[in-house]
Amino acid sequence: MEPLLRVTAPTLDVLAALLAAEGPTWGLLLMKTIGRPSGTVYPILERLERQGWITSSWDDDAERSGPRRRLYAFTAEGQQAATDLVEARRAAAAEAPARTALRPTTRPATS
C-alpha cells in the first residue's frame, strides 16, 4: 500500500464515508452521502484503488434492476491508514480555530 501524497478535503470526505459504510459501497451512494460530484469521487476512488487502500468488485445481485454497481471496500491496511488519517485531520481541525483566533491580520478593521 502506497501512502497518499495529496490529501484533499474531498479525499477525506470519501475516506470518512467509506469508513462509515456498513460494508462495500458504490460510487453513487458515496456521491450522495458526501455531496460531491462524480468527477471528484470516481478519480479519488481510482487513486485509492491504484495505491492499495481499497479494492473494487462488481455487484452480482441478479434480482436488482438497473446497471451493475461497482462496490468499493477497504483493504485491511487501507482501513487502518484511513482511520488514522481521518482522526488526525479531525483533531487538527478541532485545534485550528484556537490557533487562528489570535492570528494577526493585515486587513483594515471595519466598524
Side-chain angles (χ1 to χ4, degrees):
M1 184 185 88
E2 297 176 35
L4 295 181
L5 300 178
R6 191 181 85 191
V7 180
T8 61
T11 301
L12 290 171
D13 290 346
V14 169
L15 291 172
L18 284 168
L19 287 170
E22 296 180 14
T25 191
W26 57 100
L28 182 59
L29 181 60
L30 288 171
M31 289 168 32
K32 289 180 179 179
T33 300
I34 64 175
R36 304 260 182 195
S38 62
T40 299
V41 172
Y42 286 108
I44 291 169
L45 290 170
E46 290 172 12
R47 183 167 41 101
L48 291 172
E49 186 171 17
R50 217 177 26 253
Q51 293 181 283
W53 286 56
I54 62 174
T55 60
S56 68
S57 60
W58 287 104
D59 184 12
D60 58 0
D61 184 1
E63 294 180 18
R64 188 185 154 280
S65 64
R68 289 182 4 175
R69 294 175 173 164
R70 189 114 179 120
L71 301 174
Y72 299 91
F74 279 112
T75 62
E77 286 181 315
Q79 185 166 7
Q80 185 59 54
T83 300
D84 294 345
L85 183 60
V86 169
E87 286 177 2
R89 292 297 171 110
R90 283 183 181 154
E95 292 177 8
R99 287 189 310 225
T100 59
L102 301 176
R103 182 188 227 168
T105 181
T106 58
R107 285 184 261 158
T110 59
S111 51

